[in-house]
């Protein structure tokens, strides 16, 4: 998929735009990096109420919630005030906007209906994301910068294990660049490898490239 990118961007000499492609050094991708990209694209105005925000007031909302598989990419992120972010909770952007427009007496029931629907989607069909965002990759084809000292049998691993046991699928797609270099999802990749899962849901960022030979 093509993610939203600013026309110009320089991130501490670790990332730059070149011919419409975001080129980054290994390790440059992070949630804070995606936050900065999002603000560079969408500004410092709350996505929902339109309030101008100071840097200290900005929170980053997932338009498709993380609990529903929402990835940390610019297409799924927006700057918001803390009030809107808190009220939205685990609703999608569309659901939240419908909730905002609803009569006050109906808001509680509408929220409940949306959340029940989201849980059903999560349990029966997997991610609540646009189909065109997700493909699959063989885990043996994913390029990983593996740190031998990194321990992955911790709380995050156990959380993924519990989720898989309950729902039968991984909680999020992994994210790779256009050359299958892993950007996000190392723990999920290790869980898949350890449990004989040969293909893994993947979001491929076709306009992002990790520069391995500088």
């Amino acid at each position: 998929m093509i993610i939203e990118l600013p026309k110009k961007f320089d991130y501490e000499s670790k990332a730059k735009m070149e011919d419409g492609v975001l080129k980054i050094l290994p390790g440059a991708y992070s949630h804070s990096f995606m936050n900065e990209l999002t603000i560079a694209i969408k500004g410092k105005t709350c996505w929902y109420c339109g309030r101008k925000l100071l840097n200290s007031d900005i929170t980053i909302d997932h338009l498709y919630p993380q609990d529903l598989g929402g990835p940390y990419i610019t297409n799924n992120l927006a700057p918001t005030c803390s009030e809107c972010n808190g009220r939205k909770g685990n609703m999608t952007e569309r659901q939240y906007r419908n909730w905002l427009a609803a009569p006050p007496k109906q808001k509680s029931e509408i929220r409940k209906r949306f959340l029940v629907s989201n849980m059903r989607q999560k349990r029966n069909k997997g991610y609540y994301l646009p189909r065109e965002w997700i493909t699959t990759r063989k885990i043996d084809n994913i390029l990983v910068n593996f740190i031998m000292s990194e321990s992955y049998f911790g709380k995050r691993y156990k959380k993924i294990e519990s989720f898989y046991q309950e729902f039968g699928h991984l909680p999020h797609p992994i994210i790779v660049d256009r050359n299958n270099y892993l950007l996000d999802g190392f723990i999920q990749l290790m869980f898949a490898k350890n449990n004989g899962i040969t293909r893994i849901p993947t979001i491929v960022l076709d306009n992002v490239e990790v520069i391995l030979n500088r």
Side-chain angles (χ1 to χ4, degrees), residues 53-179:
L53 302 172
L54 300 174
N55 288 340
S56 58
D57 296 329
I58 297 174
T59 68
I60 300 297
D61 176 56
H62 285 72
L63 305 181
Y64 290 95
Q66 287 181 291
D67 192 51
L68 301 177
Y72 227 105
I73 57 175
T74 53
N75 301 51
N76 193 47
L77 302 175
T80 61
C81 67
S82 58
E83 290 86 353
C84 283
N85 202 339
R87 282 196 300 263
K88 177 175 175 285
N90 274 340
M91 289 186 285
T92 67
E93 177 189 15
R94 178 179 293 182
Q95 289 170 344
Y96 181 58
R97 292 190 183 279
N98 288 339
W99 180 86
L100 286 173
K105 291 183 179 180
Q106 297 180 19
K107 286 185 182 294
S108 178
E109 181 59 33
I110 288 174
R111 178 187 288 274
K112 180 179 178 180
R113 187 167 69 245
F114 283 151
L115 296 182
V116 168
S117 174
N118 290 352
M119 178 56 72
R120 186 181 303 115
Q121 173 80 12
K122 179 177 174 179
R123 184 175 297 281
N124 296 335
K125 297 183 180 180
Y127 311 115
Y128 198 157
L129 299 173
R131 290 183 180 180
E132 62 270 19
W133 286 15
I134 303 177
T135 182
T136 62
R137 286 289 187 272
K138 290 183 177 180
I139 63 171
D140 291 342
N141 292 339
I142 305 298
L143 304 175
V144 182
N145 183 20
F146 182 70
I147 302 173
M148 293 301 293
S149 61
E150 183 171 351
S151 174
Y152 55 86
F153 287 107
K155 291 182 179 179
R156 290 175 58 198
Y157 189 95
K158 291 179 180 178
K159 188 175 181 180
I160 291 169
E161 186 175 45
S162 296
F163 187 99
Y164 190 85
Q165 289 172 352
E166 181 176 359
F167 296 106
H169 58 85
L170 296 170
H172 302 93
I174 64 169
I175 301 174
V176 301
D177 78 347
R178 62 182 183 175
N179 296 316

Side-chain angles (χ1 to χ4, degrees), residues 16-77:
K16 64 180 180 178
M17 294 296 301
E18 189 174 297
D19 298 326
V21 176
L22 179 67
K23 301 201 172 180
I24 64 177
L25 295 180
Y29 176 95
S30 66
H31 291 180
S32 60
F33 172 58
M34 278 291 153
N35 290 350
E36 290 203 31
L37 274 176
T38 298
I39 293 170
I41 297 165
K42 299 173 181 176
K44 299 179 181 180
T45 299
C46 178
W47 195 248
Y48 300 112
C49 69
R51 193 176 92 193
K52 296 291 183 181
L53 302 172
L54 300 174
N55 288 340
S56 58
D57 296 329
I58 297 174
T59 68
I60 300 297
D61 176 56
H62 285 72
L63 305 181
Y64 290 95
Q66 287 181 291
D67 192 51
L68 301 177
Y72 227 105
I73 57 175
T74 53
N75 301 51
N76 193 47
L77 302 175

